[in-house]
Amino acid sequence: MEALTPPRGLIADLITPLKLDGSIDGKGLEGILDRVTPFAQAVFLSSPCTGEGKNLDSDERSDLLEKALDVIRGRIPILIWVTQDTEEKTRKTILTLNKTIEGTRDHGQVFWVDTPLYFHSNRGLPAYYRDICSMVDQPFILHNDPELIRGVGTPFKRNNIRTSILKELTALDNIVGLVFLGPLDRAYNYQRACRGRTHFRIYDGDETNFLSYPSTSGVVSVGANLAPGAWHRIVQSSLLLKGEQSNGEDLRQIWELDQYLRGLKDIYQTMPAAVIKEILSDMGIIETPTCTFPVENIEKPKEEIKELMARSGD
Amino acid sequence: MVIKQAKEVLKIEAQSILDLVERVGPEFERAVDMILKAKGRVILTGMGKSGLVGRKISATLNSTGTPSLFLHPAEAIHGDLGMVTPDDIVIAISNSGHTAEVNTILPMLGKIGARIIAFTGGLDSPMAKASDIVIDVGVEREACPMGMAPTASTTAALAMGDALAVALINLRRFNQDDFKKFHPGGILGERLTIKVKEVMLTRDHIPMVQLGSKVKQAIEEINAKNLGATLIVEKNKKLVGIITDGDLRRALTRYKNIHEINVEDITSPLVKTINENQTAAQALELMELNAITHLAIVDRQNRVKGLVHLHDLLGREEFRVNGSFNPTTGAHR
């Protein structure tokens, strides 16, 4: 039997709001979720880059998940990045988060997002997942991000999940999707590898890829923190969830939204978490722009984004 | 940039069709079976680009022997539903399965008694739920940004329509004669507008034996040229007649040793001729009228310039079925 059907559409890759002391800003999280959830089909917590997951330990992620579950109350699915820099720590994080879910009523759908090459080579991955899937009920969404892997400088040869390994992994019921970053040629190979699985989702982890050639599973969007309505409209249109475009005015508006979202991305892409937090903090949605890493020189991009958002009415 | 983008689009579209290969299964077989057994027509419906795809599939079905028509969903509500009968099969096309105009008419079609096949990527969509059979034509990625126009998804639906039409052709044992009847303006029709001189066999390709030769020579010539006949000519290539496989069979019953008799003893003088500037269609008509498969092409002095066989008019490759020649209709002579 298939595991939970993963969501389709806009998955908002949320920043992690922090207080000055570095703890999770619950009120800020509520503010962001209130802003985003009406437009998103799911939210992605503690993602490695935007959600600063690389710097959050299992207890911090657990706290973040608990607070998010409390606000969302099962309205939309939650994806949470479970990966740590070793297999042992990753297992510990998954078990900790699993306890958090078990201790919450009305938790709705939760999916583990795991970047296996962050701590593991391709060799032996199927065995690893067979084992880990037997330990928890929540389904997994794999995360393939060659840039992330390159950045951490793992000793492993490959920065991408091998296609043949992915094929083996998709034979496991509890692996239900993949967030994909990288060149489209690899995406086609992955697509072929996953053909046998009904409802297996391959999400675009790269917003530009989605804006150019939209995956029909959906997109993991950083920009949705800033412009959830615009992203919602683009995703709805791209996935034809509302049928085909009906008139020229619709098309013109969508074209303008595309330009707006590409413009935002061009500005925030070098330091998304820091820039977005600054803006959300200025808007009063989160308490502080505190990040888990040192931040400098973001005045210019911040002002550019604010100007772009003001022009677009966001 | 433009070339790169074009290549990317083509890759996405190609991939969308390749992905369908794995998904053709029992549902597809059921759909083919349902259409094959239906007493009515196949009615295609869809909005926008899906509608255009529906029109094309309908045209393909019509020209390959499955009666079909297109029903515009909006027109359907305003009276065109009257054309649907309980014997009809409706193929509804929508990538998302959420197209309101189409979904509105599906329950009405159901009430009429028509059965519905959905071509959709939305396997849990209202369209899928309202249909008897769901053919998955979903794609992983569109080639056009922001859903401005469906691209890969319409390509996939179109290809699936062709798969359906071809499956039906084979099951109906649709042959070339049917194709001529239904498709005079297609490739075949086009071929028939060309002149005889463009398709006729000339020079050494013409099976030809001189008057006074032994029948053995005629048999060798028929075997060598593989056309089931040979022309019989005078020294200056003036046409005298023809010997066909049928003439040889008849001669076998009449003569003890046909190898030793001369060709003039069994030559039929009734060989039909045509001018090289006449059309292939005229040649075909002449063949049909006389129930023959060969025509000689001669000049004003009745000298042989060429020979045309029925297969040359229709395109020889089109007669190949499973690697061998499919027997065609029409007597040899």
Side-chain angles (χ1 to χ4, degrees):
Chain A
M1 193 180 142
E2 288 266 330
L4 288 176
T5 302
R8 178 169 177 259
L10 174 62
I11 298 170
D13 182 354
L14 297 187
I15 53 117
T16 303
L18 299 172
K19 293 181 180 172
L20 280 175
D21 64 2
S23 62
I24 304 294
D25 168 12
K27 207 174 161 201
L29 181 66
E30 192 175 344
I32 299 170
L33 289 171
D34 285 347
R35 178 177 168 80
V36 167
T37 49
F39 300 104
Q41 274 67 51
V43 291
F44 183 17
L45 302 178
S46 78
S47 71
C49 184
T50 309
E52 299 172 75
K54 283 190 286 186
N55 304 326
L56 298 178
D57 64 23
S58 55
D59 290 338
E60 287 165 329
R61 293 189 208 185
S62 172
D63 189 20
L64 178 66
L65 178 62
E66 190 179 350
K67 287 185 163 77
L69 287 169
D70 192 40
V71 177
I72 292 176
R73 293 192 176 274
R75 279 181 286 128
I76 58 171
I78 294 175
L79 281 63
I80 184 161
W81 196 57
V82 296
T83 310
Q84 300 281 5
D85 54 8
T86 66
E87 183 179 327
E88 193 188 349
K89 283 194 215 168
T90 302
R91 281 175 187 267
K92 186 189 162 206
T93 301
I94 293 170
L95 293 174
T96 306
L97 295 174
N98 199 46
K99 272 189 190 165
T100 308
I101 294 174
E102 284 172 356
T104 311
R105 278 186 186 177
D106 307 327
H107 56 67
Q109 294 184 347
V110 178
F111 296 84
W112 309 131
V113 180
D114 192 14
T115 315
L117 298 192
Y118 202 73
F119 58 86
H120 204 293
S121 70
N122 272 290
R123 188 189 290 261
L125 270 187
Y128 165 71
Y129 276 110
R130 268 193 291 276
D131 183 33
I132 202 85
C133 286
S134 68
M135 290 163 58
V136 287
D137 292 334
Q138 314 305 322
F140 282 81
I141 291 174
L142 302 173
H143 184 239
N144 186 78
D145 185 349
E147 281 304 312
L148 177 68
I149 304 303
R150 218 168 275 134
V152 293
T154 57
F156 310 126
K157 239 183 187 175
R158 293 176 189 272
N159 298 319
N160 291 287
I161 301 170
R162 276 175 57 190
T163 308
S164 58
I165 296 291
L166 180 66
K167 193 170 184 175
E168 278 190 62
L169 294 178
T170 56
L172 301 174
D173 283 347
N174 253 25
I175 294 184
V176 296
L178 171 81
V179 177
F180 176 81
L181 289 98
L184 284 179
D185 280 344
R186 181 169 285 277
Y188 305 141
N189 291 336
Y190 282 1
Q191 202 173 303
R192 274 197 291 270
C194 305
R195 266 183 201 154
R197 271 290 291 279
T198 317
H199 298 310
F200 190 89
R201 304 277 192 227
I202 299 181
Y203 303 105
D204 274 321
D206 179 336
E207 292 169 312
T208 308
N209 264 359
F210 183 83
L211 290 172
S212 304
Y213 307 109
S215 143
T216 51
S217 289
V219 61
V220 175
S221 167
V222 178
N225 285 285
L226 297 171
W231 265 106
H232 169 77
R233 179 92 193 271
I234 283 281
V235 171
Q236 290 287 308
S237 167
S238 295
L239 304 190
L240 301 176
L241 295 179
K242 292 178 80 179
E244 292 172 16
Q245 301 307 325
S246 51
N247 59 51
E249 179 55 21
D250 275 353
L251 290 178
R252 191 189 59 76
Q253 285 176 13
I254 286 164
W255 181 256
E256 283 175 1
L257 285 178
D258 173 73
Q259 298 301 305
Y260 168 48
L261 296 176
R262 283 176 195 266
L264 285 180
K265 196 205 164 184
D266 284 347
I267 305 169
Y268 65 63
Q269 66 179 350
T270 49
M271 229 189 298
V275 176
I276 292 169
K277 280 185 173 184
E278 281 285 341
I279 292 163
L280 295 180
S281 173
D282 281 1
M283 291 167 79
I285 294 168
I286 60 174
E287 199 174 290
T288 75
T290 308
C291 289
T292 55
F293 52 87
V295 178
E296 43 188 48
N297 300 329
I298 57 164
E299 268 314 300
K300 191 174 170 237
K302 184 178 92 173
E303 290 310 316
E304 284 174 353
I305 286 183
K306 282 169 95 172
E307 194 188 323
L308 203 53
M309 288 176 71
R311 255 190 282 147
S312 293
D314 263 330
Chain B
M1 176 65 185
V2 172
I3 301 285
K4 190 183 169 207
Q5 202 168 29
K7 286 182 177 175
E8 207 60 77
V9 170
L10 292 173
K11 276 189 205 168
I12 292 171
E13 302 248 349
Q15 195 62 48
S16 72
I17 296 178
L18 284 176
D19 283 350
L20 295 182
V21 175
E22 299 288 322
R23 289 186 239 151
V24 177
E27 289 291 283
F28 184 86
E29 272 185 324
R30 277 183 61 213
V32 171
D33 189 52
M34 186 191 274
I35 294 172
L36 209 57
K37 287 176 180 162
K39 289 176 185 164
R41 302 145 304 171
V42 177
I43 298 177
L44 275 295
T45 189
M47 282 298 286
K49 309 290 182 296
S50 297
L52 293 172
V53 168
R55 284 186 172 90
K56 192 273 171 186
I57 295 173
S58 174
T60 302
L61 289 170
N62 272 322
S63 60
T64 52
T66 302
S68 174
L69 53 91
F70 178 77
L71 174 67
H72 193 289
E75 299 292 343
I77 297 167
H78 294 284
D80 279 7
L81 270 178
M83 68 172 73
V84 184
T85 74
D87 294 331
D88 293 333
I89 308 287
V90 176
I91 298 180
I93 306 172
S94 165
N95 179 44
S96 62
H98 289 270
T99 309
E101 293 89 339
V102 179
N103 289 345
T104 304
I105 64 169
L106 294 185
M108 303 176 202
L109 292 166
K111 272 186 188 169
I112 290 170
R115 281 157 300 164
I116 300 163
I117 299 169
F119 272 23
T120 182
L123 302 183
D124 302 321
S125 65
M127 174 184 281
K129 284 172 187 159
S131 301
D132 298 287
I133 295 174
V134 180
I135 305 284
D136 180 5
V137 292
V139 296
E140 280 297 329
R141 192 174 292 279
E142 288 284 5
C144 177
M146 301 163 287
M148 282 187 153
T151 47
S153 54
T154 44
T155 303
L158 191 63
M160 190 59 90
D162 283 347
L164 195 66
V166 171
L168 288 163
I169 288 176
N170 288 332
L171 288 170
R172 289 186 200 282
R173 304 193 188 286
F174 201 70
N175 62 33
Q176 293 300 324
D177 282 352
D178 294 323
F179 197 86
K180 269 188 294 176
K181 275 182 231 157
F182 288 112
H183 208 269
I187 294 170
L188 194 54
E190 206 171 86
R191 185 175 175 79
L192 295 178
T193 64
I194 61 177
K195 289 185 175 172
V196 167
K197 66 180 172 190
E198 292 178 69
V199 291
M200 71 185 188
L201 300 167
T202 58
R203 298 179 186 177
D204 291 341
H205 297 291
I206 307 170
M208 207 156 42
V209 173
Q210 277 188 20
L211 211 55
S213 307
K214 296 290 181 196
V215 168
K216 185 184 175 192
Q217 257 181 284
I219 293 170
E220 285 168 355
E221 182 73 354
I222 290 171
N223 285 341
K225 304 289 167 65
N226 201 25
L227 286 173
T230 181
L231 297 177
I232 307 300
V233 293
E234 291 177 1
K235 270 187 180 174
N236 55 5
K237 286 194 181 176
K238 273 195 176 172
L239 181 64
V240 176
I242 190 169
I243 294 177
T244 67
D245 287 342
D247 294 320
L248 291 171
R249 283 197 303 275
R250 283 186 285 276
L252 276 170
T253 61
R254 212 181 322 149
Y255 299 98
K256 280 187 181 171
N257 188 353
I258 62 165
H259 288 98
E260 296 308 314
I261 59 173
N262 287 341
V263 290
E264 51 266 42
D265 294 326
I266 61 168
T267 295
S268 166
L270 300 173
V271 59
K272 294 289 176 191
T273 63
I274 191 166
N275 186 283
E276 64 179 354
N277 288 317
Q278 286 182 272
T279 63
Q282 287 171 310
L284 186 65
E285 199 179 349
L286 196 58
M287 285 178 183
E288 283 182 340
L289 200 65
N290 293 282
I292 56 175
T293 54
H294 299 86
L295 289 175
I297 291 90
V298 291
D299 63 13
R300 284 182 185 173
Q301 284 77 43
N302 202 36
R303 283 184 304 222
V304 173
K305 287 190 77 178
L307 179 77
V308 66
H309 187 278
L310 178 68
H311 293 168
D312 298 312
L313 297 178
L314 301 177
R316 288 176 174 273
E317 283 302 310
E318 291 165 15
F319 287 81
R320 288 187 183 280
V321 175
N322 299 329
S324 63
F325 275 103
N326 195 16
T328 55
T329 57
H332 219 58
R333 232 188 87 195

